[in-house]
Amino acid sequence: MSGISKVSTITACYHKGKYLPEFLKELPHQTYFPDLEIVFDHNEPTTEELSLIDTFQKNYPGHIHHIITNPVQPLGVSWNRCLRESSGEYLTIWNIDDLRSPPSIEIQAHFLDDNPTIDIVGGNFYIVPSFPSKLGTFIDEARYPVEEMTKSMKLGPFFMFRKKLCEKAGYFDEQFRCANDFDLAMRLVHHGNAHILKDNLGYFLNEGAGASTKKGSLCPVEKTVIELRYGIYDRIDYQFLPKALKYNIYNIRAGDDWIPVSDYIPDYENLLETNFEKVSTRRFFMQFGTDIYRKLRELLKKNG
């Protein structure tokens, strides 16, 4: 395998050693494996985990770009490191506690090859209660209209995108702890066309222990932050608003820097104002009171 791949994965690992043997076992089953680079940011790896990686590297040299990170860093930092270190023209998220169907990466990569006007490709998947089960609830993302891509996370957990899109959309926001992919997806779809495949791309684990699925997860709060950030006001669950307002809503963290969202979203202020006016003012007054209404107006004026 050469030093440059067509597809690179964004794969971070921290204290997930119990999933690693099956993840490594499944990698060569990908039909696109000969042209696949796994960019693996390994946070505080154990001796056992390093041994597994070493054995895989000997059997399949050149496929895993193994990065050791000590001490552990947040998910967004790890994913950004993977993104920067990747050599692929296309990037795709692959968490080690999720299984991909064997042809999934090949299907997505070939779709992007054959459709130069499409920049992001997602697909259907199953939510499973245990690893490595393939029995669960089928999620049909392909049934949603294209415009839904700018309002909710309908790309699925296995979406693939052209790396060059990050020149306009930016990288992952490192202040988030679990909704980093949702936030980046919202910026990607503002700069590129998205398509959802009807194929099953894999099996997303929900055993109530992950960053996005465990009890007390920050994901509902961070989802609210994203809805405020991109003017998706009609989807906000206002019970999470107080905690959401503690985030830096209108700036994206990249290392020590804070980058205005307006740098990445065309005509950003107009987008927020237009979407805000679409929401019934009366509903705000009746259900949430004038204080919250005024707070949102103040936030809109301060963005960027």
Side-chain angles (χ1 to χ4, degrees), residues 235-250:
R235 304 291 176 89
I236 293 173
D237 185 337
Y238 289 89
Q239 67 175 306
F240 300 112
L241 188 59
K243 291 183 178 180
L245 294 177
K246 295 179 181 179
Y247 283 71
N248 194 332
I249 296 173
Y250 299 109

Side-chain angles (χ1 to χ4, degrees), residues 30-79:
Q30 281 293 312
T31 57
Y32 205 77
F33 184 68
D35 299 306
L36 180 64
E37 174 190 50
I38 300 92
V39 186
F40 194 95
D41 191 45
H42 207 162
N43 287 258
E44 295 186 359
T46 65
T47 302
E48 292 77 14
E49 291 170 4
L50 290 174
S51 178
L52 289 168
I53 295 291
D54 184 61
T55 299
F56 185 92
Q57 296 278 49
K58 291 177 180 177
N59 292 331
Y60 304 98
H63 282 281
I64 292 184
H65 177 19
H66 191 222
I67 306 163
I68 296 177
T69 300
N70 251 314
V72 63
Q73 294 185 333
L75 180 62
V77 177
S78 282
W79 276 358

Side-chain angles (χ1 to χ4, degrees), residues 151 220 223-229 231-241 244 276 279 283-284 287-288 292 296:
K151 298 179 179 180
K223 174 176 176 288
T224 304
V225 175
I226 293 165
E227 289 164 343
L228 288 168
R229 174 174 285 180
I232 315 170
Y233 302 120
D234 58 330
R235 304 291 176 89
I236 293 173
D237 185 337
Y238 289 89
Q239 67 175 306
F240 300 112
L241 188 59
F276 192 85
V279 179
R283 185 179 124 197
F284 274 91
Q287 296 185 20
F288 312 112
I292 289 181
L296 285 173

Side-chain angles (χ1 to χ4, degrees), residues 18 29 83 141 173 236 280:
K18 67 178 182 178
H29 294 163
L83 200 157
E141 302 286 32
D173 187 340
I236 293 173
S280 169

Side-chain angles (χ1 to χ4, degrees), residues 99 126-138 202-205:
L99 291 179
Y126 284 85
I127 295 178
V128 298
S130 61
F131 184 87
S133 173
K134 295 182 180 180
L135 298 175
T137 303
F138 180 67
Y203 307 88
F204 175 76
L205 178 64

Side-chain angles (χ1 to χ4, degrees), residues 76-269:
V77 177
S78 282
W79 276 358
N80 278 339
R81 184 177 295 108
C82 291
L83 200 157
R84 289 191 298 267
E85 293 281 336
S86 64
S87 67
E89 179 183 350
Y90 306 150
L91 303 180
T92 189
I93 295 174
W94 190 353
N95 297 318
I96 71 167
D97 55 356
D98 297 329
L99 291 179
R100 273 186 171 267
S101 59
S104 63
I105 289 177
E106 182 175 17
I107 291 171
Q108 290 174 282
H110 285 176
F111 187 88
L112 290 177
D113 288 341
D114 296 339
N115 296 274
T117 62
I118 300 297
D119 302 290
I120 313 125
V121 58
N124 296 328
F125 62 99
Y126 284 85
I127 295 178
V128 298
S130 61
F131 184 87
S133 173
K134 295 182 180 180
L135 298 175
T137 303
F138 180 67
I139 306 299
D140 183 6
E141 302 286 32
R143 64 190 175 95
Y144 293 99
V146 174
E147 53 267 26
E148 185 65 23
M149 301 301 121
T150 62
K151 298 179 179 180
S152 59
M153 186 56 183
K154 296 303 180 186
L155 293 176
F158 303 108
F159 69 92
M160 182 181 292
F161 58 97
R162 300 183 191 273
K163 183 178 181 178
K164 66 179 182 180
L165 214 56
C166 293
E167 296 172 8
K168 297 179 179 180
Y171 286 9
F172 295 100
D173 187 340
E174 295 174 4
Q175 71 177 303
F176 291 127
R177 290 296 178 265
C178 61
N180 312 72
D181 53 347
F182 182 15
D183 177 67
L184 180 59
M186 291 297 97
R187 282 179 274 127
L188 291 173
V189 298
H190 273 90
H191 292 283
N193 296 317
H195 180 81
I196 305 300
L197 300 168
K198 294 182 179 180
D199 305 82
N200 168 40
L201 299 184
Y203 307 88
F204 175 76
L205 178 64
N206 181 1
E207 60 180 358
S212 63
T213 59
K214 65 184 178 182
K215 185 177 180 181
S217 168
L218 286 171
C219 273
V221 176
E222 294 186 355
K223 174 176 176 288
T224 304
V225 175
I226 293 165
E227 289 164 343
L228 288 168
R229 174 174 285 180
Y230 301 105
I232 315 170
Y233 302 120
D234 58 330
R235 304 291 176 89
I236 293 173
D237 185 337
Y238 289 89
Q239 67 175 306
F240 300 112
L241 188 59
K243 291 183 178 180
L245 294 177
K246 295 179 181 179
Y247 283 71
N248 194 332
I249 296 173
Y250 299 109
N251 293 280
I252 292 166
R253 184 174 183 178
D256 294 329
D257 298 324
W258 290 95
I259 304 170
V261 179
S262 56
D263 285 4
Y264 299 124
I265 302 295
D267 202 12
Y268 182 55
E269 184 174 351

Side-chain angles (χ1 to χ4, degrees), residues 3-15:
I4 298 177
S5 307
K6 190 62 174 284
V7 178
S8 299
T9 72
I10 297 171
T11 304
C13 178
Y14 174 61
H15 283 184

